């Protein structure tokens, strides 16, 4: 399913971002949200498979399926998805975001900027950790955990590639309140970039989880071939109306004032979410070692591509909206032009 032109564009833009930010590595995935076909799966830095012994082992693996990471704020939309689907909230319900500091369970949840009352749409637009934590409390952990699994997290996607990681999520039994809050804004849970692309594709296509594929057919001798049964796994996770509400919220993220405004693509409407996750360094969460990300899809009215960009430990432009979002924009613009999308 890999398209060599789309793969080249993704590799080129990803490598440029890794070099410009001084990051350790980067990952970019382009997927068809309706079929699950992986059109590009780029990793930086690259290596030449013909001379693989000249490179360190750490660059051999396919990080898009083999590496796990804490997704940060890209995960918040799935908390809202579960709460909307269960009719616990509406987009206009408001939550008090404690002016940026929320003391709970013996700890403090911080927002990057101090906010007072925000509705659900603005909690996503401005990426409030406090707001989404309060939404998760209304949802309850059993339902939250069920939706985490339904969106494909903590289980392998089944893609036809070796070394796939499943990721992990703490079991809901006796889960401490501070861990539940952390999961709501994408910490204390690990996912693969491919899982993130699959889950965002489910929002893009109206609520159906599609099996990610890299194989369309298997060729044999005498020009014979058999079609690979790649599209068997389909599972509705949310209703189309819920998916539409989520898309509207994700579109706000890329509008003026949102955290993902740099992900905008000229001539197209974009829906997506920024993420900036702190990494554990020397046993504690670090303010210097970060993972910047952006996950989204476009065009909004008829999504053709889902794109996920991960930048690991950028030294400059450390936030997802600064490094991953512009990379998403450049990849998406080139791919949509190549696909002749008006």
């Amino acid at each position: 399913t890999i398209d060599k032109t789309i793969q080249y564009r993704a590799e080129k833009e990803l490598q440029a971002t890794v070099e410009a930010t001084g990051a350790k590595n980067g990952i970019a995935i382009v997927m068809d949200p309706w079929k699950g076909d992986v059109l590009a799966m780029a990793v930086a830095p690259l290596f030449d498979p013909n001379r693989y012994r000249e490179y360190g082992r750490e660059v051999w693996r396919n990080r898009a399926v083999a590496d796990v990471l804490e997704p940060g704020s890209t995960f918040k939309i799935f908390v809202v998805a579960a709460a909307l689907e269960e009719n616990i909230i509406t987009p206009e319900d408001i939550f008090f975001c404690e002016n940026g500091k929320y003391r709970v369970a013996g700890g403090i949840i911080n927002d990057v900027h101090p906010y007072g009352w925000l509705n659900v749409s603005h909690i996503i637009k401005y990426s409030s950790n406090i707001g989404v934590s309060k939404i998760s409390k209304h949802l309850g952990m059993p339902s939250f955990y069920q939706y985490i699994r339904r969106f494909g997290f903590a289980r392998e996607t089944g893609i036809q590639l070796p070394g796939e990681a499943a990721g992990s999520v703490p079991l809901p039994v006796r889960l401490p309140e501070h861990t539940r809050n952390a999961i709501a804004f994408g910490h204390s849970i690990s996912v693969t970039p491919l899982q993130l692309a699959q889950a965002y594709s489910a929002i893009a296509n109206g609520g159906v989880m599609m099996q990610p594929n890299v194989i369309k057919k298997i060729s044999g001798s005498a020009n014979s071939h058999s079609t690979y049964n790649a599209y068997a796994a389909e599972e509705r996770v949310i209703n189309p109306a819920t998916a539409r509400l989520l898309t509207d919220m994700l579109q706000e993220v890329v509008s003026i004032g949102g955290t993902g405004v740099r992900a905008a693509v000229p001539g197209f409407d974009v829906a997506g979410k920024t993420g900036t996750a702190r990494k554990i360094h020397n046993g504690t969460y670090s303010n210097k070692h970060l993972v910047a990300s952006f996950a989204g899809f476009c065009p909004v009215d008829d999504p053709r591509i889902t794109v996920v960009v991960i930048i690991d430990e950028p030294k400059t432009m450390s936030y997802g909206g600064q490094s991953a979002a512009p990379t998403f924009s450049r990849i998406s613009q080139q791919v949509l032009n190549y696909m002749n999308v008006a």
Side-chain angles (χ1 to χ4, degrees), residues 161-190:
L161 291 170
E164 183 181 12
S168 65
V169 57
L171 292 174
V173 180
R174 297 181 180 178
L175 193 67
E177 186 176 2
H178 66 83
T179 303
R180 175 184 57 78
N181 287 318
I183 292 173
F185 49 84
H187 284 81
S188 297
I189 179 175
S190 66

Side-chain angles (χ1 to χ4, degrees), residues 46-65:
L46 293 167
F47 75 99
D48 182 354
N50 295 308
R51 298 183 294 132
Y52 68 94
R53 294 184 184 276
E54 299 177 14
Y55 301 82
R57 283 181 174 269
E58 68 277 3
V59 302
W60 290 0
R61 69 181 181 275
N62 184 355
R63 296 182 182 275
V65 298

Side-chain angles (χ1 to χ4, degrees), residues 160 215-220 224-232:
Q160 312 92 348
I215 296 175
K216 278 186 176 179
K217 65 181 180 181
I218 299 173
S219 298
S224 66
H225 72 268
S226 59
T227 301
Y228 193 84
N229 188 22
Y231 308 118

Side-chain angles (χ1 to χ4, degrees), residues 15-332:
Q15 184 66 38
T17 300
V18 168
E19 292 175 359
T21 61
K24 287 179 63 177
N25 57 73
I27 302 161
I29 297 173
V30 182
M31 180 183 289
D32 180 332
W34 301 96
K35 293 183 178 180
D37 287 351
V38 176
L39 307 176
M41 187 177 281
V43 177
L46 293 167
F47 75 99
D48 182 354
N50 295 308
R51 298 183 294 132
Y52 68 94
R53 294 184 184 276
E54 299 177 14
Y55 301 82
R57 283 181 174 269
E58 68 277 3
V59 302
W60 290 0
R61 69 181 181 275
N62 184 355
R63 296 182 182 275
V65 298
D67 281 17
V68 295
L69 53 96
E70 295 191 353
S73 295
T74 57
F75 192 76
K76 290 174 180 173
I77 195 66
F78 304 110
V79 181
V80 174
L84 285 172
E85 187 71 9
E86 293 296 312
N87 296 315
I88 293 171
I89 59 169
T90 71
E92 297 307 317
D93 286 345
I94 59 173
F95 293 83
F96 185 56
C97 296
E98 309 288 341
N99 296 311
K101 289 189 180 292
Y102 181 37
R103 186 175 295 277
V104 59
I108 297 178
I109 300 174
N110 296 291
D111 280 341
V112 175
H113 301 289
Y115 298 111
W117 291 95
L118 291 178
N119 64 28
V120 175
S121 294
H122 284 168
I123 286 171
I124 293 298
K125 178 175 182 176
Y126 302 127
S127 201
S128 170
N129 294 337
I130 296 169
V132 77
S133 296
K134 289 189 173 184
I135 292 172
S136 74
K137 187 174 183 179
H138 282 272
L139 178 62
M141 197 58 208
S143 292
F144 187 19
Y145 184 81
Q146 177 188 8
Y147 277 92
I148 290 173
R149 296 281 296 181
R150 289 177 66 183
F151 270 109
F153 300 110
R155 57 189 173 107
E156 295 178 6
T157 68
I159 195 169
Q160 312 92 348
L161 291 170
E164 183 181 12
S168 65
V169 57
L171 292 174
V173 180
R174 297 181 180 178
L175 193 67
E177 186 176 2
H178 66 83
T179 303
R180 175 184 57 78
N181 287 318
I183 292 173
F185 49 84
H187 284 81
S188 297
I189 179 175
S190 66
V191 309
T192 67
L194 183 64
Q195 287 173 337
L196 207 55
Q198 181 188 33
Y200 268 83
S201 291
I203 298 175
N205 68 29
V208 178
M209 289 288 288
M210 300 300 298
Q211 165 77 51
N213 309 297
V214 290
I215 296 175
K216 278 186 176 179
K217 65 181 180 181
I218 299 173
S219 298
S221 59
N223 296 322
S224 66
H225 72 268
S226 59
T227 301
Y228 193 84
N229 188 22
Y231 308 118
E234 297 181 12
E235 176 187 355
R236 176 162 294 282
V237 61
I238 53 175
N239 290 314
T242 302
R244 182 68 244 185
L245 292 174
L246 297 172
T247 298
D248 291 342
M249 293 181 195
L250 293 172
Q251 195 172 354
E252 282 288 307
V253 173
V254 189
S255 67
I256 294 175
T259 60
V261 67
R262 296 182 186 180
V265 179
F268 298 95
D269 291 330
V270 172
K273 184 71 187 74
T274 55
T276 306
R278 295 189 296 164
K279 296 177 70 174
I280 294 178
H281 188 70
N282 294 329
T284 185
Y285 280 105
S286 169
N287 290 321
K288 294 182 178 179
H289 299 80
L290 306 174
V291 176
S293 58
F294 189 90
F297 50 89
C298 56
V300 165
D301 289 336
D302 182 18
R304 297 290 298 276
I305 52 172
T306 300
V307 181
V308 170
V309 177
I310 310 288
I311 309 298
D312 187 15
E313 293 193 25
K315 292 183 174 61
T316 61
M317 298 181 286
S318 299
Y319 290 94
Q322 297 173 322
S323 57
T327 309
F328 169 96
S329 175
R330 293 192 298 270
I331 292 173
S332 297

